[in-house]
Amino acid sequence: MSSQGFMSKVAMPYAEALIESASAASVLDKVNEDLSLISDILKESKELEAFFYNPLITIEVKKNVVNELFNNQVHNLVIRFLLVLIDRRRIALLDIIISKYLELVYELQSTIVAEILTPIILTDVQQSVLISKIKDITSSKTVKLVITIEPMLIAGFIIKIGSKIIDTSLHGRLKHISAYLNSASNISI
């Protein structure tokens, strides 16, 4: 079993327990927002990520940092959850746990996550149109867009929904034309 698969198996019970606790307290949406915020912070701050993953930093120091950073910013349930992860020395799995949690919640709420790669920032109107089209395609109740700016695409965008990819980018079209021309030049007359 790969280390990623092992970490995923370890993370799953924590994600399930958090969903159960958030549902029981009727704060599922708030916890979703808070975990998305924490995930974004971890992606932006490699120092914080390294701090949590460092086994030489004591549990008390990590707990103090969590309380300082997130007190009055996230729901109390999320803070308690983070403290449990620190106590059990599982805080290094936080990103995987958040990912599993969101995956389970979206499945529970019939939400489709669509990853959008685009060379420009999309306006609210463009995002609304994309959400509407994706709802039509997938017959899902709600759609969450995860937008990544990718200047290399030049124009257009790429939509990833699960294993499906819709590539309308100029970069993708140029690659397709290049592959076609290369295959045509290999055919002998």
Side-chain angles (χ1 to χ4, degrees), residues 13-162:
Y14 288 99
E16 291 170 342
L18 185 57
I19 288 173
E20 193 174 311
S21 297
S23 293
S26 300
V27 291
L28 199 59
D29 289 336
K30 175 64 175 145
V31 171
N32 295 354
E33 288 175 30
D34 293 347
L35 289 180
S36 292
L37 171 74
I38 291 170
S39 181
D40 291 343
I41 289 170
L42 286 174
K43 285 177 186 160
E44 291 175 17
S45 174
K46 294 301 174 191
E47 296 85 13
L48 181 62
E49 188 177 47
F51 171 81
F52 281 144
Y53 296 174
N54 188 339
L56 300 176
I57 298 174
T58 66
I59 289 173
E60 287 308 313
V61 171
K62 289 180 182 180
K63 284 182 171 183
N64 288 338
V65 168
V66 164
N67 282 319
E68 285 291 320
L69 281 178
F70 299 118
N71 202 13
N72 297 325
Q73 295 220 11
V74 299
H75 195 275
N76 208 18
L77 178 70
V78 174
I79 291 176
R80 288 194 322 262
F81 180 73
L82 293 174
L83 297 178
V84 166
L85 291 178
I86 291 169
D87 280 336
R88 294 188 177 173
R89 300 186 188 277
R90 297 290 193 227
I91 196 69
L93 299 175
L94 181 59
D95 202 34
I96 295 170
I97 293 169
I98 290 173
S99 176
K100 289 293 177 192
Y101 169 89
L102 292 173
E103 199 176 287
L104 291 170
V105 166
Y106 294 151
E107 188 178 309
L108 185 69
Q109 296 176 334
S110 297
T111 300
I112 294 290
V113 178
E115 191 177 336
I116 311 294
L117 300 169
T118 176
I120 59 168
I121 296 172
L122 299 177
T123 66
D124 291 340
V125 173
Q126 290 169 323
Q127 289 182 35
S128 295
V129 169
L130 263 175
I131 288 171
S132 175
K133 294 290 184 190
I134 293 169
K135 281 182 182 178
D136 290 344
I137 292 170
T138 61
S139 302
S140 121
K141 293 179 189 172
T142 54
V143 173
K144 178 176 179 1
L145 297 181
V146 177
I147 300 171
T148 304
I149 304 300
E150 186 62 58
M152 185 179 85
L153 296 179
I154 304 168
F157 53 85
I158 297 173
I159 301 173
K160 295 180 183 177
I161 304 170

Side-chain angles (χ1 to χ4, degrees), residues 3-20:
S3 66
Q4 187 69 23
F6 174 75
M7 290 189 294
S8 208
K9 276 192 169 196
V10 172
M12 188 60 85
Y14 288 99
E16 291 170 342
L18 185 57
I19 288 173
E20 193 174 311

